[in-house]
Each structure stands twice: as structure tokens, then as C-alpha cells.
Amino acid sequence: MLSKEPFSVQCSDGVVLKGVLLIPKKPKAVVQFNGGTGARKEFYQPFLEYLSEHGYACCLWDYRGNGESTPANLANCDYSFSDYGTKDMPAIKEYLRERFTGLPIFLFTHSAGGQQVGLIPNLDGYQGMVAFAVSTGYFRYMPLGYRLKTMYFFYLFSPISILLKGYVVAKRFRIMEDLPRKVFLEWSAWCGKKDYLFDSKFYGKSIPKGQYQQMPFPIHVIWTIDDPIANERSVTTFWSHVKSVKGITFDQLTPNALGLKTIGHFGFFNKKMKTILWDKGLNKLNEFLKED
């Protein structure tokens, strides 16, 4: 029996985040799910329902300025991209520690949701992280066709949108959820650098150095060779900047070997992958739970 429980959390700066808890009758552990930039949380819900059916209480939530956590006037908000890691993720973590006292908490992350975990000021309480498609977002590491589309979005579409509306109006064009101006600008700046947020222009300056060199839990990274964003070069570059005292392992997926035409940057969470890929995430969480 699975129950769905809406919730609200207030961050340290007063911003309110909204989400939903998916709770099995007798949860054995908790999963904090951090999604990708501008992604609808509802897209991930079938996967988290699957985890809940296997005993995990799952937390699905929206970053500030996204989905149900969007303010009345997106053009006037002062949110930044790095607020996801420095303010939003820690607020969710503390809420879960209080809501599920005594249960182990794991992270399951996608894209930016894994990139910014190291910015959380205090990582105590997490027992492990599974990261799908977590890499740098450097333009030049992308295949040419996708790179051109990305550069159009970052250097033409979004600047014009911000000029006209004060924020990135992406939802109506089915690109992604709308983005606050400063969220986009910081994200765009990181994507322009090979080392992404670890570039000396940002790291330890506009953002804290955080916990990247001393992650206290095991990390398992899953990526697929047909992902135009999280490809071999971008995955390798990102994780070369991260160290864990419990180790970092990698699982490279090859669509053809799995009988699939494509997986890509979002495909892991597609409902069609339930019997093909989802056990890779579930099994790793179960391994972490046994090691706890």
C-alpha cells in the first residue's frame, strides 16, 4: 500500500519548496530524489513509485523557481542556480531527517541534481548516492548537432526571452520548465567552461568549495554511451574533481547490448525502462542499505 503525502519546506532564506512523499506501509529507508535542471518532477514519479513498491519512502520535489515551487512573479525572483545545492537540497535533507527519524537516507540524482550535492554544507546523514547522467555540461564535449541546438538555446533563445520577459520562457515551447534569469545565467556560465563549476572563475569564489573532496558516502554513477550531455569526456571530467572516502563506482550502459535503440539523457526514467533498467538503481540502493 503506497500513500502520497504533499509537503512544504522552508529554506534558510525563507523560500518555500513543495513536493510529494511516496510512502510504503513499512519503509526500510528514504530516498531524496534530486532531478535535472528544468525537469518536471512528475516525469520521475513512475520510477520513484517503483522504488516505493520495494520499500523505499521517496521524496520528489521542485527546486526553487520550478514547478510547484515557482513564485507568483518569476521575473522578480533573485534565485541562482547554485541555490539548488547550497539551500534547497539541505532543506529537503533536514526535513527528511525529522520526518523519518532513524531511517537511512539515500540520494538518487539526475544531472544537475547530482552535480550540486557537493555544495550541501553538511552531508551527515546520507548513506549513499546513485547518480544517473551526472557530468559537466560543457558545450564543446557535446556532439556537433546537439551542441548547435544547445548553443541556440543558451545564446539566442534564452537571452531574447530574458530581455522580453525577465526570465526564460521555455515551458510553452516544450523545451523544459521556465527558469529564473539568474538560474539560467549561472548555469550558462558553468556550461561554458571545461571544468564546469570547478573552474577557477567560480570554484571557491562565486560558489563555495563545498564537500566535493570529502564526500562521506559511497557513490555509484550510471551513464549511457548515447547521452549527448553526460558522455565519456564530460562524465570523466566531472568525477575527476570528486573524491569519496567510501569510493566511487561506474556503470556504463550500451543501449544495443540491452536491446534498446536509445537511452539518452532522460531515458533511464522512462516508464518503458521499468523491466530493463530500473533494477540497476534499486539493486545499488539495496547494496548500500546492506553496507549501512
Side-chain angles (χ1 to χ4, degrees), residues 155-277:
Y155 295 123
L156 185 62
F157 176 87
S158 295
I160 291 175
S161 180
I162 289 173
L163 182 65
L164 295 176
K165 295 291 186 177
Y167 63 97
V168 179
V169 184
K171 186 174 182 178
R172 72 180 62 173
F173 297 98
R174 298 184 179 180
I175 300 172
M176 59 173 60
E177 293 292 286
D178 297 337
L179 295 176
R181 179 181 63 87
K182 288 181 65 176
V183 167
F184 166 77
L185 292 176
E186 187 171 31
W187 181 33
S188 177
W190 291 2
C191 287
K193 300 293 184 179
K194 177 176 70 68
D195 290 311
Y196 200 60
L197 64 87
F198 299 107
D199 188 90
S200 59
K201 182 177 180 180
F202 319 117
Y203 196 51
K205 295 177 183 176
S206 59
I207 61 170
K209 288 193 173 182
Q211 310 298 317
Y212 291 100
Q213 294 299 302
Q214 51 191 7
M215 304 288 259
F217 45 74
I219 300 170
H220 184 65
V221 181
I222 305 172
W223 65 284
T224 175
I225 63 170
D226 70 325
D227 189 334
I229 302 172
N231 52 51
E232 185 171 8
R233 287 196 290 178
S234 58
V235 169
T236 300
T237 299
F238 183 87
W239 292 102
S240 70
H241 292 284
V242 183
K243 295 180 181 178
S244 168
V245 298
K246 297 293 183 66
I248 303 175
T249 56
F250 295 86
D251 184 5
Q252 174 187 302
L253 306 182
T254 303
N256 288 343
L258 295 165
L260 300 169
K261 290 184 178 180
T262 184
I263 300 173
H265 196 62
F266 287 89
F268 182 93
F269 302 101
N270 191 298
K271 287 185 286 187
K272 296 178 181 179
M273 300 298 181
K274 181 175 182 177
T275 60
I276 305 171
L277 295 179

Side-chain angles (χ1 to χ4, degrees), residues 1-256:
M1 186 69 179
L2 175 67
S3 65
K4 297 180 181 180
E5 179 183 305
F7 71 90
S8 297
V9 171
Q10 188 173 68
C11 299
S12 59
D13 61 350
V15 172
V16 175
L17 308 177
K18 294 185 178 182
V20 62
L21 297 175
L22 307 175
I23 310 174
K25 188 173 183 180
K26 294 183 178 180
K28 59 186 179 183
V30 182
V31 172
Q32 174 179 332
F33 187 87
N34 299 340
T37 308
R40 294 177 64 251
K41 71 176 184 299
E42 289 77 12
F43 168 72
Y44 301 108
Q45 186 164 318
F47 173 67
L48 294 184
E49 289 177 348
Y50 169 82
L51 295 183
S52 294
E53 290 165 2
H54 289 82
Y56 291 91
C58 294
C59 177
L60 183 59
W61 57 285
D62 286 313
Y63 298 116
R64 61 183 59 207
N66 201 74
E68 291 185 307
S69 301
T70 302
N73 191 329
L74 203 59
N76 288 342
C77 71
D78 198 38
Y79 309 154
S80 66
F81 191 42
S82 53
D83 285 342
Y84 292 179
T86 59
K87 298 171 183 173
D88 295 0
M89 294 178 192
I92 295 294
K93 187 196 81 165
E94 291 308 313
Y95 168 74
L96 293 177
R97 291 184 73 176
E98 293 179 7
R99 176 66 177 77
F100 298 97
T101 304
L103 287 182
I105 301 177
F106 299 102
L107 286 157
F108 205 112
T109 66
H110 177 222
S111 196
Q115 292 168 356
Q116 296 203 30
V117 167
L119 294 178
I120 299 175
N122 182 358
L123 292 173
D124 292 346
Y126 291 129
Q127 304 300 313
M129 177 169 80
V130 179
F132 177 73
V134 176
S135 69
T136 68
Y138 184 46
F139 300 134
R140 295 185 183 275
Y141 283 170
M142 300 175 186
L144 180 59
Y146 195 87
R147 186 193 317 167
L148 293 175
K149 289 170 58 178
T150 301
M151 294 183 75
Y152 164 76
F153 173 75
F154 276 92
Y155 295 123
L156 185 62
F157 176 87
S158 295
I160 291 175
S161 180
I162 289 173
L163 182 65
L164 295 176
K165 295 291 186 177
Y167 63 97
V168 179
V169 184
K171 186 174 182 178
R172 72 180 62 173
F173 297 98
R174 298 184 179 180
I175 300 172
M176 59 173 60
E177 293 292 286
D178 297 337
L179 295 176
R181 179 181 63 87
K182 288 181 65 176
V183 167
F184 166 77
L185 292 176
E186 187 171 31
W187 181 33
S188 177
W190 291 2
C191 287
K193 300 293 184 179
K194 177 176 70 68
D195 290 311
Y196 200 60
L197 64 87
F198 299 107
D199 188 90
S200 59
K201 182 177 180 180
F202 319 117
Y203 196 51
K205 295 177 183 176
S206 59
I207 61 170
K209 288 193 173 182
Q211 310 298 317
Y212 291 100
Q213 294 299 302
Q214 51 191 7
M215 304 288 259
F217 45 74
I219 300 170
H220 184 65
V221 181
I222 305 172
W223 65 284
T224 175
I225 63 170
D226 70 325
D227 189 334
I229 302 172
N231 52 51
E232 185 171 8
R233 287 196 290 178
S234 58
V235 169
T236 300
T237 299
F238 183 87
W239 292 102
S240 70
H241 292 284
V242 183
K243 295 180 181 178
S244 168
V245 298
K246 297 293 183 66
I248 303 175
T249 56
F250 295 86
D251 184 5
Q252 174 187 302
L253 306 182
T254 303
N256 288 343

